[in-house]
Amino acid sequence: MADRTATVVLFGATGDLAKRKLLPGLLHLFHSRLLGDIRLVATSLEEMTREEFIDLASRSIDEFSVHNRDDKVWQAFAKRVYYVPGSAGPQGLAKTVAEAEAEVTGTLPPQRLHYLSVPPKAALAVTRTLAEAGLAEGSRIVMEKPFGTDLASAVALNAAVHEFFDEDQVFRIDHFLGKEAALNILAFRFANGLFEPIWHRNNIEHIQIDVPETLGLEQRASFYEGTGAYRDMVVTHLFQVLAFTAMEPPTALLPQAITEEKNKVFRSMQPINPNDVVRGQYQGYRDEKGVAPESETETFIALKAYIDNWRWAGVPFYLRTGKKLSEGQRIISVAFKEPPKSMFPPGSGVGQNGPDHLTFDLADKAKLSLSFYGKRPGPGFRLDKLSMQFAYQDTSWAGSVLEAYERLIYDAIRGDHTLFTSAEGIERLWEISEPLLDNPPPVRPYALGSWGPNQIHQLIAPRAWRLPFERKWRAPARD
Ligand SMILES: NC(=O)C1=CN([C@@H]2O[C@H](COP(=O)(O)OP(=O)(O)OC[C@H]3O[C@@H](n4cnc5c(N)ncnc54)[C@H](OP(=O)(O)O)[C@@H]3O)[C@@H](O)[C@H]2O)C=CC1
Ligand SMILES: O=C1O[C@H](COP(=O)(O)O)[C@@H](O)[C@H](O)[C@H]1O
């Protein structure tokens, strides 16, 4: 496959995601030579020339790429970039793709990958355009989340997509599943004999999946107003991460095996009870450009979820995410049960700093830590919370990390579905969301830079949110 060329047709090429992640990611894939030659056919609603788009791409890469730009590589890539506005219609698109592929050599035709980086409401129109342009057959299509906005729309969207594309051509992307740190959950759980034997309700008291953001709307008000934090982050990323954390050992590192185990988790999830949900809206949100003055869209959500199976019955999973919060973090905390009896006398410190935790930090510079009680040196028996920590930055692999979108585009071009989500899984997640979507609790205001509305403490009591950490992570040796 490495020498098979690819044509990436990027819809929504002038949008936020394309500028921040996809254009820098495609340049990096081209530079890394993981794939054969790449052509990019960019398209959006904006009327602009090819030169103007290349200029936009160049500026985006300068601003957002995490890799150093090599000018020679950029010049070579820019020659492979084409632009066609949506107004050119299916024929115009087909013509530009033909032009882009005209000089491609090789025994096999280029693998076409259509990336739909467009708002959910535009996805269907784009699939129709592709079919009318004769670009559906033999191609692969990447669909961005959220896949629909509720069960009915997800079912309709899947059915409509299947009119033009077979399921094996469809790659529903969830970039959290492409993050190295998320993949490391699988490695940690299933490549070691250490933790899996205790990874269940007998030993685990609760789990937190906490993804606060300091970011605001970032010029995405029109998208966000109709979406909100639950659809933008929970029904997508946080539930997918939950599935990696909770699933049974898959029989193989293969798409069907992984998808089946994730779907079993989703099937076992109890419907989300609106009484177990706190919705919030940051103060000033309604004054943002593009936001309705009486908007009820939540910019924050915290909830309690249950997986009703043998492994997890009765273990609460607390999920939290929101905009304009105090810190940007992506943390999974696994809280272990405390020992049933303690020989240590009151005042010795045992249990005073919460339970033992295994913590996955899903940041780009991923970390992992295990906290436990240990003895403080000196006379008597004073206990304190200690931890063992691992950071990718401490290893010689730090430079090998592929950004999540790079990894997933690479997989999609090669036809590997392992890290993509299935129609069945998505529909089940909308199904368990119905009670909440039908009957959402009121949105409560929260201060900018806070951790959300006060009600979050009642939601988790008698436990406590782990973020903010009182104790700092050890700084990685290398940065
Ligand atoms: N931004 C992010 O951080 C992330 C976004 N996503 C997902 O990516 C998708 C795009 O998001 P984002 O880039 O933020 O959105 P933007 O609103 O910034 O960009 C959307 C792009 O789609 C184009 N577009 C809009 N309507 C149509 C249409 N009917 N036909 C063709 N093109 C159209 C827009 O063109 P024009 O500008 O000319 O109107 C624009 O280029 C969404 O599904 C979102 O959920 C997923 C993960 C992260
Ligand atoms: O999908 C989305 O994810 C980003 C957060 O992703 P990250 O990789 O930067 O953590 C979020 O800001 C955005 O609202 C959402 O659409």
Side-chain angles (χ1 to χ4, degrees):
M1 180 74 213
D3 55 358
R4 181 155 185 200
T5 57
T7 304
V8 177
V9 180
L10 176 58
F11 291 84
T14 54
D16 178 71
L17 179 66
K19 287 195 272 201
R20 285 195 305 114
K21 299 288 184 184
L22 306 179
L23 295 168
L26 285 165
L27 175 63
H28 182 64
L29 280 178
F30 176 73
H31 191 175
S32 66
R33 296 173 183 263
L34 279 169
L35 295 163
D37 208 353
I38 301 180
R39 297 287 182 284
L40 170 62
V41 176
T43 175
S44 86
L45 299 182
E46 282 186 44
E47 295 297 328
M48 57 167 74
T49 61
R50 180 180 180 192
E51 288 67 33
E52 284 168 334
F53 179 77
I54 290 174
D55 186 46
L56 176 146
S58 171
R59 281 182 283 115
S60 309
I61 288 163
D62 274 345
E63 188 173 352
F64 297 113
S65 180
V66 291
H67 309 285
N68 292 331
R69 176 155 129 182
D70 177 320
D71 249 3
K72 260 200 190 142
V73 175
W74 162 250
Q75 294 302 340
F77 182 70
K79 285 196 188 118
R80 291 159 167 82
V81 176
Y82 297 75
Y83 184 79
V84 53
S87 60
Q91 281 71 29
L93 179 66
K95 195 165 152 248
T96 310
V97 170
E99 191 189 337
E101 291 177 348
E103 287 167 22
V104 172
T105 52
T107 44
L108 288 168
Q111 175 60 57
R112 289 180 184 148
L113 183 78
H114 309 303
Y115 198 121
L116 275 54
S117 180
V118 295
K121 58 180 186 294
L124 210 47
V126 172
T127 55
R128 196 163 295 120
T129 300
L130 284 167
E132 285 169 13
L135 296 172
E137 202 185 326
S139 69
R140 296 183 177 132
I141 180 168
V142 176
M143 304 200 56
E144 264 297 344
K145 49 112 264 199
F147 313 98
T149 50
D150 57 16
L151 178 58
S153 61
V155 171
L157 178 61
N158 283 327
V161 169
H162 290 152
E163 270 184 45
F164 310 119
F165 295 90
D166 294 334
E167 181 64 12
D168 66 0
Q169 291 178 275
V170 183
F171 292 75
R172 294 177 194 79
I173 197 166
D174 188 300
H175 77 276
F176 269 52
L177 298 187
K179 290 180 187 285
E180 286 289 353
L183 299 175
N184 206 29
I185 300 172
L186 298 186
F188 185 85
R189 286 193 57 199
F190 303 127
N192 301 292
L194 184 59
F195 281 99
E196 204 45 35
I198 57 164
W199 203 257
H200 51 66
R201 62 194 298 276
N202 295 355
N203 306 91
I204 292 178
E205 204 277 330
H206 79 275
I207 292 184
Q208 296 182 25
I209 300 179
D210 208 354
V211 186
E213 294 187 277
T214 51
L215 285 183
L217 295 189
E218 314 295 307
Q219 280 91 49
R220 298 166 71 209
S222 72
F223 161 78
Y224 202 82
E225 256 292 86
T227 309
Y230 184 75
R231 291 182 173 92
D232 187 36
M233 293 292 286
V234 178
V235 82
T236 51
H237 309 317
L238 272 62
F239 281 162
Q240 295 295 333
V241 169
L242 178 148
F244 269 14
T245 311
M247 71 189 188
E248 298 299 317
T251 50
L253 185 60
L254 288 173
Q256 297 90 327
I258 303 252
T259 301
E260 178 51 15
E261 294 309 333
K262 277 171 46 195
N263 287 351
K264 274 162 62 182
V265 172
F266 298 149
R267 273 180 235 137
S268 302
M269 279 178 78
Q270 290 187 345
I272 303 300
N273 180 346
N275 294 327
D276 289 339
V277 177
V278 176
R279 291 169 74 233
Q281 190 182 75
Y282 65 77
Q283 286 164 346
Y285 174 74
R286 292 176 185 180
D287 304 326
E288 301 265 16
K289 198 167 157 239
V291 171
E294 317 229 306
S295 171
E296 290 289 311
T297 300
E298 80 282 350
T299 60
F300 171 97
I301 190 147
L303 61 85
K304 179 161 60 168
Y306 285 101
I307 302 170
D308 203 10
N309 63 14
W310 278 57
R311 189 185 278 261
W312 296 114
V315 178
F317 286 72
Y318 295 99
L319 276 50
R320 172 170 71 167
T321 185
K323 298 285 186 196
K324 296 219 177 186
L325 296 175
S326 174
E327 286 175 28
Q329 298 272 6
R330 304 168 194 119
I331 299 286
I332 305 175
S333 292
V334 178
F336 291 97
K337 289 192 172 164
E338 297 189 16
K341 286 283 289 170
S342 173
M343 68 172 187
F344 299 101
S348 62
V350 69
Q352 272 172 14
N353 286 305
D356 300 345
H357 282 108
L358 183 64
T359 308
F360 295 88
D361 181 344
L362 306 188
D364 296 336
K365 293 178 178 171
K367 300 199 276 295
L368 179 65
S369 122
L370 177 66
S371 71
F372 56 91
Y373 285 89
K375 185 186 173 302
R376 271 202 213 172
F381 229 107
R382 290 281 304 155
L383 300 162
D384 209 345
K385 207 70 183 296
L386 309 174
S387 66
M388 294 192 275
Q389 300 185 354
F390 163 80
Y392 269 112
Q393 286 299 109
D394 286 346
T395 70
S396 55
W397 307 320
S400 333
V401 172
L402 273 187
E403 204 278 330
Y405 284 96
E406 295 165 4
R407 155 89 199 216
L408 293 170
I409 293 172
Y410 170 74
D411 284 355
I413 289 176
R414 291 165 57 249
D416 183 346
H417 271 97
T418 309
L419 300 175
F420 293 84
T421 59
S422 69
E424 184 197 328
I426 302 281
E427 289 175 15
R428 172 64 187 159
L429 288 176
W430 285 121
E431 194 182 3
I432 61 160
S433 304
E434 281 201 315
L436 172 64
L437 299 179
D438 290 349
N439 200 5
V443 281
R444 303 184 183 275
Y446 62 93
L448 302 183
S450 69
W451 289 96
N454 283 334
Q455 286 77 6
I456 56 167
H457 303 297
Q458 279 141 259
L459 177 74
I460 202 167
R463 306 164 185 96
W465 293 99
R466 275 198 84 210
L467 282 173
F469 289 120
E470 282 165 26
R471 293 145 38 87
K472 290 273 166 248
W473 286 75
R474 192 192 63 221
R478 244 184 302 267
D479 206 59

